[in-house]
Amino acid sequence: MDTSINQFTQLLFRHGAIQTSPEHVAMLNSQGFVLFQGKFATSSSNGYQVLLSGYANYVLDKEEQKKTAGDLDKLLTELKSVPRSPNARILKGSISTFKISNNSYRVDYKIANGQVLVYNIQPVDKLQKQRDRQEQAALYKVKRNEQGIWQVGGRVESVNTRYAAVNGQSNNLAKASWLMGSHLEYEFKNLQEYTLFHNPSVGGAGDTWESFRDKMGITTRVTKKFAQILAETQAAGNETGWVAHSQGGAIFAEGVRYLLNSQSSWALNKLRLNGIRNPDKGELLNKQSVAFHANANNNLRSKPLFSRAGIKVLAIRANDYDMVPNLIGMNTLNPRKLLGSLVYSSHVFNGSVAQSPHTLMQDQTAWDANMDNGPGKGRNIIQKAFNKTEKTASKLVKPRPNYLP
């Protein structure tokens, strides 16, 4: 039986919700498995050995300071005696890989040779959402540690770094810190620190509702906060390169409109639509520049806003089949991209980090290679058919650009 650590890393990326960056996961798992002892449970068992992967042990260490730590210790301890309990569920496509959960945690593991090999620990959705809702929109200084991993250094009151970012929806602070670090690294290279404007998640439906209001010119509380920071950064004379990802694009665009329109929460203010008569035309935010990655805002509507504010748009990047810029942002009329966005929408919602067309910024060739051989569930039947048709058509038809930029 293959029990290599690489196998467990692949299983984690395919089935789990990782609590740190993929690079950090690989680094942690390279340390091998450690024996779980248990710190809270009073009963002992002489049954199975419970071994934790480097990543699982990392999550356990983080959770030991939480009020729910006892629930996790109990769940892991029970695996020593009853790894195939009635509450355990076999993961799809396996006969010896399971997941089990209680009110607070989910644990994924494999049974092999009298051992329970735990490779994933994560809070259940209800607990994770409760934690996410406690986070606030604020600025954070993010730095690389000695191992090169992005870590949150603490809250700050202003942007004092050369580069900054605003994250998209469904990102808690831990995910936003490494994810936006990855996006900034793709755009600007060789960063050691940046400032994150954290857009906290209020749940999938709530985040989508926020995006809709901002796209309609009805400024949300989070965007007003971001606009204030943008204005303060400009007033301080700081030249800042931003990356806005996903919902962050809608926040950035609406924040600019809000400032252009004299901080009006409505697109029309004193007969000035979208700040078209702003007296500081081209100078209001002229020390700011931005790159949009998989943005939810509409580029045609946003472009004149940035021109009026004096913001330089460095790049607009998106996967061909990302439903967020293509369908939600309405940034293309290309039939291939529209159909592909629908076909691959499942990977936006629950695909692995590497195979999602939305999460990371990667060129089309790299994403295609990850879909074929990278960590995750790969292509389903419909996606395979679409991919085959798309590749055949690309050989017969000369490529054409988008109807819209």
Side-chain angles (χ1 to χ4, degrees), residues 201-222:
S201 177
V202 292
D207 292 344
T208 302
W209 174 234
E210 283 182 344
S211 292
F212 175 77
R213 284 183 289 160
D214 277 333
K215 285 166 63 64
M216 296 302 293
I218 305 171
T219 321
T220 60
R221 179 184 58 82
V222 171

Side-chain angles (χ1 to χ4, degrees), residues 181-242:
S182 172
H183 280 269
L184 283 161
E185 183 73 19
Y186 185 95
E187 196 64 44
F188 300 113
K189 318 302 181 194
N190 302 321
L191 276 71
Q192 296 301 314
E193 63 177 15
Y194 74 94
T195 304
L196 170 69
F197 175 77
H198 178 43
N199 161 39
S201 177
V202 292
D207 292 344
T208 302
W209 174 234
E210 283 182 344
S211 292
F212 175 77
R213 284 183 289 160
D214 277 333
K215 285 166 63 64
M216 296 302 293
I218 305 171
T219 321
T220 60
R221 179 184 58 82
V222 171
T223 299
K224 290 178 182 179
K225 176 73 173 177
F226 174 73
Q228 177 187 350
I229 289 168
L230 203 58
E232 291 173 352
T233 304
Q234 173 76 15
N238 297 333
E239 293 188 0
T240 309
W242 294 83

Side-chain angles (χ1 to χ4, degrees), residues 100-117:
I100 191 169
S101 61
N102 57 20
N103 291 331
S104 301
Y105 295 97
R106 165 184 154 182
V107 170
D108 296 2
Y109 58 97
K110 194 177 187 74
I111 303 173
N113 303 321
Q115 296 176 327
V116 176
L117 305 171

Side-chain angles (χ1 to χ4, degrees), residues 159 161-164 226-227 229-242 252 256 259 282-291 306 309-314:
V159 178
T161 54
R162 178 65 181 85
Y163 300 106
F226 174 73
I229 289 168
L230 203 58
E232 291 173 352
T233 304
Q234 173 76 15
N238 297 333
E239 293 188 0
T240 309
W242 294 83
F252 195 100
V256 172
L259 292 174
E283 298 181 359
L284 186 69
L285 297 169
N286 62 358
K287 292 186 179 297
Q288 312 302 305
S289 57
V290 61
F306 304 140
I311 295 174
K312 182 179 180 180
V313 178
L314 302 172

Side-chain angles (χ1 to χ4, degrees), residues 15 75 79 83 85-92 96-101 106-110 119-120:
H15 297 291
L75 190 61
L79 292 177
S85 78
N87 295 326
R89 296 290 181 267
I90 298 177
L91 289 177
K92 185 177 180 181
S96 59
T97 309
F98 300 82
K99 66 176 179 179
I100 191 169
S101 61
R106 165 184 154 182
V107 170
D108 296 2
Y109 58 97
K110 194 177 187 74
Y119 64 87
N120 179 39

